[in-house]
Amino acid sequence: ATVNFHRMKGIPVWWAAVAGVAVRAETLRFGKPEVVGSAYYVTGFEGFGDGKNAFGPVELGMVHTNDGGATWGPLSLHPSFKGPGVLSTDGTEIHDLGDITHVAGGIEENHTGFQAANCTKLSVVGGEMTSSTEQRTISFQGIPSPGASCGTPKSEYGCPFRTSGRGAVRLNDSTLVMSVIIYAGGSFANPNPLLRDVATSVIAFRSTDDGYTWTYSGTILSAADVPHSQEGPNENDLVVLADGKSIMCVVRLDAGDGHLTRPYVPYSRSISTDGGFTWTTTVMDPGIGCARPRLLGLGDGAVVLSGGRLGPTNRDVRMWLNAAGDGDVWDAFSITYWHNRLITNKTYAFTTAVNDSTARESTSYTSLVKTGPATGFITYGRHLPPGPDVAFAMPFTYA
C-alpha cells in the first residue's frame, strides 16, 4: 500500500503543525463538527440503513441521532446491549452477539466454540428506536484445535473472545463475514516465549442466517504470522472492495501497548478473494496506522479508513481515502486540522501538542458511519484537562 501526502499552500503555521499533513480538497470534503457528548474513547457508533439513525456510547450512556449526525440526544436502550451489532439485510434492525465473551472455565481452558442464550435487538420503527431481548441463541463454532483461551490476565478485553474492535461485512449473496480477536496457542501463538500468552490473533467467521450462527472460515492473521508484533494482531475492521467480492481487513499490530518495548508500527492489510476462507497479508506503508482502524465502503467503490496515533509523540486522528477501492494507494487527511479549521467554538480546538508531544489529546479511536452513497460522518474525541472530554461527529463527502 502507498500513502500520499498532499500539502496545501496558505495554511496558518499552527494549523499546519496540528495537521501534520494537508489534503486535496477535491477528494474528501469536511463539514462543521458537532458535539456528541462527553467521551474520550469515541468508538462503537453504528448506523442503520436509512442513513439517518445512528447511536453510540458516551460517558453518561447512549446517544442517538436521527438526522445523520447533525444533532444528538440521550437514548435509553436495553441495558444488556453489547455492541457492535449485526445489521439486518433490510437495514432496519441491529442485534448484538449476546454475552458471548464470558465463558465457563478457568483462564487456561481452551474453547472451540461459544454460545449465548439470547441477544438484544434494536429496531427503527417510524423514525423511533426501540430495544428488546430476543430469545435466540448466538453461537460460534469450529475454531481449530487447540482452540481459544484467556491466555493471561490480559483477558480484560474479553475472555477469551473479543468482539469489540472488529468488523463485519455482508456479501452479495447475503452471507456475513466477521472478524474476531482471540487468544490462542499452538500454531496461532507468537514463537517468543515472552509474548506467547499475550499476543492475540484475528480469525474469520461466516454466517448464513443473518448473524446468529457463525462458523470459523479462516485465520486472517495470527500472532505466529507476525512475530514482530508485540500486541499481536488485534483491533481491525472489514470492507468489501470495489470488485464486489474481495474483502479487505485492516489490522492493528502495535500502537504503544506492546509488552516489551511498546512500539508503534503501521497497520497490516489482509485480503480474501474467496469469501473469507483464505487471506493474504502485507504490511501497509509508514504513515498508515497505528490504533483501532475503521473502514467504510462508499457507493462507487471508494474506501475510507480512519484511525491514527502514529507514534509516542503523534496522537493525530487521521482518515485515509483509497479512491480506487483496491486497498493500494491512500490519500491522508488530518481530522484535527479540519476540526480546528471548521469548529465555530474555538475552545473546542486541538492544540499543537496533539502531534508534537506525548500528551494524549486523542486516543485516535473513531467510528465511521455511512449516511448516503458518498457521505458519512466520523466520530472522535478530545482530551484537554482540566476541561471535560468532548466527543464530536464531523460529516464528510467524497466528491
Side-chain angles (χ1 to χ4, degrees):
T2 300
V3 60
N4 293 329
F5 299 95
H6 303 278
R7 298 198 173 276
M8 297 173 63
K9 296 180 179 179
I11 299 174
V13 172
W14 76 273
W15 274 344
V18 174
V21 297
V23 299
R24 296 188 306 187
E26 70 272 15
T27 52
L28 284 182
R29 299 175 182 173
F30 297 95
K32 175 179 172 290
E34 301 293 343
V35 174
V36 173
S38 180
Y40 186 33
Y41 289 87
V42 191
T43 191
F45 281 68
E46 305 178 62
F48 288 85
D50 59 5
K52 298 179 180 179
N53 285 275
F55 64 97
V58 293
E59 289 177 1
L60 298 180
M62 303 292 286
V63 291
H64 166 237
T65 179
N66 58 13
D67 54 12
T71 59
W72 295 84
L75 176 65
S76 177
L77 283 181
H78 197 289
S80 65
F81 182 83
K82 296 178 176 62
V86 178
L87 184 65
S88 62
T89 306
D90 63 6
T92 64
E93 297 179 341
I94 294 176
H95 72 77
D96 69 7
L97 301 177
D99 198 11
I100 203 74
T101 62
H102 293 85
V103 295
I107 66 170
E108 296 180 355
E109 184 174 339
N110 292 323
H111 304 267
T112 58
F114 312 90
Q115 282 194 342
N118 53 56
C119 62
T120 300
K121 177 180 287 187
L122 309 181
S123 305
V124 174
V125 180
E128 298 293 328
M129 285 183 59
T130 62
S131 63
S132 60
T133 298
E134 185 177 23
Q135 299 297 327
R136 185 167 177 181
T137 299
I138 303 288
S139 65
F140 286 79
Q141 58 195 23
I143 300 173
S145 178
S149 74
C150 295
T152 71
K154 178 67 178 175
S155 61
E156 69 265 19
Y157 293 122
C159 175
F161 212 51
R162 181 180 173 186
T163 55
S164 64
R166 51 81 180 163
V169 293
R170 190 179 294 273
L171 305 181
N172 289 333
D173 64 358
S174 291
T175 297
L176 288 163
V177 179
M178 180 186 291
S179 54
V180 170
I181 307 162
I182 64 167
Y183 291 92
S187 62
F188 288 93
N190 190 305
N192 186 335
L194 298 177
L195 299 173
R196 182 174 299 145
D197 291 332
V198 292
T200 53
S201 299
V202 178
I203 61 177
F205 291 85
R206 287 167 53 96
S207 172
T208 58
D209 63 356
D210 226 19
Y212 294 92
T213 305
W214 297 89
T215 301
Y216 168 85
S217 59
T219 298
I220 298 175
L221 195 63
S222 72
D225 294 329
V226 282
H228 66 281
S229 171
Q230 296 181 20
E231 298 175 17
N234 57 98
E235 297 164 349
N236 67 87
D237 206 358
L238 300 175
V239 71
V240 177
L241 296 179
D243 63 9
K245 62 179 182 179
S246 298
I247 307 168
M248 180 173 67
C249 183
V250 173
V251 183
R252 166 178 170 166
L253 296 179
D254 281 301
D257 293 331
H259 303 277
L260 303 179
T261 61
R262 299 186 176 276
Y264 295 78
V265 301
Y267 299 133
S268 71
R269 176 190 64 173
S270 299
I271 293 179
S272 173
T273 59
D274 60 4
F277 292 99
T278 60
W279 300 81
T280 58
T281 298
T282 57
V283 175
M284 303 178 81
D285 284 354
I288 311 181
C290 298
R292 202 163 187 147
R294 300 287 87 193
L295 287 165
L296 185 67
L298 301 176
D300 68 346
V303 174
V304 289
L305 164 67
S306 65
R309 195 191 305 171
L310 301 185
T313 60
N314 189 326
R315 308 291 181 169
D316 196 11
V317 183
R318 295 283 177 93
M319 283 183 67
W320 296 268
L321 170 67
N322 172 226
D326 57 4
D328 189 14
V329 177
W330 299 84
D331 292 329
F333 298 75
S334 169
I335 295 304
T336 58
Y337 164 77
W338 285 107
H339 173 95
N340 280 5
R341 185 168 179 174
L342 297 170
I343 194 76
T344 54
N345 183 345
K346 297 305 180 183
T347 65
Y348 286 144
F350 288 87
T351 76
T352 56
V354 72
N355 66 1
D356 192 29
S357 76
T358 58
R360 202 160 178 169
E361 284 192 19
S362 173
T363 61
S364 303
Y365 275 31
T366 63
S367 297
L368 292 173
V369 177
K370 193 171 184 177
T371 57
T375 59
F377 63 82
I378 178 175
T379 65
Y380 55 96
R382 191 206 66 172
H383 176 68
L384 197 60
D389 294 338
V390 186
F392 301 94
M394 184 158 62
F396 62 87
T397 300
Y398 170 61

